[in-house]
Amino acid sequence: MSAVADLLRILDLEPLERNLFRGLSPQTDWQRVFGGQVVGQALVAATRTVDGRPPHSLHGYFMRPGDPKAPIIYEVDRIHDGRSFVTRRVNAIQHGQAIFSMAASYHRDEEGYSHQMDMPDVPRPEELPSEQALKEQLMPTMPQAIRLYFERERPIELRHADPMRFLDGKPRPPFQSVWIRATAPLPDDPAIHQCVLAYASDMTLLDTALVAHGDTVFSGEIMAASLDHALWFHRPFRADEWLLYTQDSPFAGGARGLTRGRIYTEGGELVASVAQEGLIRRRRRD
């Protein structure tokens, strides 16, 4: 089974009862569930209870690490059904305890004022080395943690505008840009593309908080975890076409890093915005 087929399978939640769904995790050697998976599955659960209006925002908190060997139960609270907006709350539960809580809002299409920030000028994805080329070129020199990450087949392809930052350890201004897309075609249902982007939006973002320090979450020296996650959908898009995920970190302190992201189509349309705070704690050497 391809990585994208596996992602679509885990996003296809099993309905258990009204407002109650069950999700599974891919069987990998990960010690905890990937945060983007929980965000994506929670959005699927909420969307299954809505009348077809698309989501425009979600806000979630991670409370406990997820157990990849156990199913996750998603309980949806239908807080509000209005003429313009619908609001849902979702709790993700494992072993009788909430591991994640999210609120999502849905809005019917409506005309209004429009503006956006311009897409930054970065190399296009075809100008950057593919993941396969990067593996062949850099794998022998990569630290083991980074090598294991790149060796896995993933449903989302990443092309970093500055891949050398993983190797030279030099501090840089707290910005990075990454092209992302699903590694295989997705069904045409817009809800699937929104949920796949919710999954992908948790990838690489927290690492931006370490760019200014010449470090990375792949380092064995860093304990990293998402604490909260917010995502706003602005326009329709396809998650199986290249999207530029441009990221910055305005602050880090107190073992936490704040990161923000903007997601553009290749044509320069801003389709989503992201914000996240995460734990970036240096491991103690006893």
Side-chain angles (χ1 to χ4, degrees):
M1 179 180 292
S2 74
V4 167
D6 196 37
L7 174 59
L8 294 176
R9 180 183 62 81
I10 66 171
L11 290 176
D12 187 16
L13 303 183
E14 176 190 359
L16 299 177
E17 183 54 84
R18 176 179 164 84
N19 302 331
L20 209 59
F21 304 87
R22 177 163 52 200
L24 302 176
S25 299
Q27 296 306 299
T28 67
D29 56 355
W30 291 354
Q31 295 182 343
R32 64 188 183 190
V33 176
F34 169 54
Q37 173 195 319
V38 184
V39 175
Q41 288 181 328
L43 184 60
V44 170
T47 302
R48 294 267 182 92
T49 70
V50 177
D51 60 4
R53 277 176 272 198
H56 72 90
S57 69
L58 62 85
H59 302 258
Y61 282 90
F62 298 93
M63 292 171 283
R64 295 177 177 87
D67 178 0
K69 296 181 175 60
I72 306 173
I73 303 301
Y74 293 90
E75 184 178 28
V76 181
D77 184 1
R78 304 184 188 220
I79 296 175
H80 175 70
D81 286 86
R83 288 197 295 180
S84 295
F85 291 90
V86 168
T87 308
R88 297 289 185 260
R89 180 184 292 120
V90 184
N91 286 326
I93 302 165
Q94 276 190 321
H95 306 303
Q97 294 182 310
I99 64 170
F100 177 75
S101 182
M102 183 188 82
S105 182
Y106 297 75
H107 184 206
R108 63 176 175 83
D109 291 334
E110 192 172 331
E111 292 296 320
Y113 296 107
S114 180
H115 73 271
Q116 70 163 65
M117 295 182 69
D118 291 338
M119 183 172 76
D121 184 16
V122 301
R124 296 286 169 167
E126 62 273 10
E127 299 170 348
L128 296 168
S130 67
E131 282 199 30
Q132 184 59 40
L134 201 61
K135 288 178 186 178
E136 294 173 358
Q137 179 183 1
L138 302 178
M139 194 79 76
T141 62
M142 285 182 177
Q144 183 179 8
I146 301 177
R147 187 167 64 249
L148 290 174
Y149 173 78
F150 277 100
E151 282 176 346
R152 296 190 186 104
E153 184 186 2
R154 298 192 306 276
I156 305 299
E157 181 177 1
L158 309 174
R159 294 197 184 182
H160 291 264
D162 182 16
M164 291 305 296
R165 66 165 288 259
F166 293 106
L167 298 176
D168 62 24
K170 295 179 180 178
R172 291 161 164 75
F175 305 93
Q176 70 169 344
S177 292
V178 186
W179 290 95
I180 62 174
R181 70 174 176 184
T183 55
L186 298 171
D188 290 333
D189 183 357
I192 291 177
H193 292 261
Q194 290 156 351
C195 293
V196 169
L197 186 62
Y199 172 95
S201 66
D202 192 39
M203 301 176 75
T204 74
L205 186 57
L206 184 54
D207 203 41
T208 312
L210 293 167
V211 170
H213 308 279
D215 217 329
T216 170
V217 295
F218 298 116
S219 166
E221 303 295 320
I222 303 296
M223 181 186 301
S226 304
L227 298 175
D228 61 12
H229 195 84
L231 172 60
W232 294 263
F233 297 105
H234 306 314
R235 293 188 177 101
F237 60 89
R238 291 193 65 92
D240 53 5
E241 296 177 353
W242 284 118
L243 299 168
L244 178 65
Y245 198 177
T246 181
Q247 307 162 9
D248 67 80
S249 177
F251 176 80
R256 301 185 312 276
L258 176 63
T259 55
R260 305 177 298 189
R262 301 194 305 273
I263 300 176
Y264 295 87
T265 65
E266 272 202 276
E269 284 195 325
L270 181 64
V271 297
S273 299
V274 191
Q276 181 181 92
E277 188 176 44
L279 174 72
I280 45 171
R281 177 185 294 153
R282 185 169 293 280
R283 295 183 187 275
R284 295 177 181 175
R285 296 295 183 184
D286 297 328

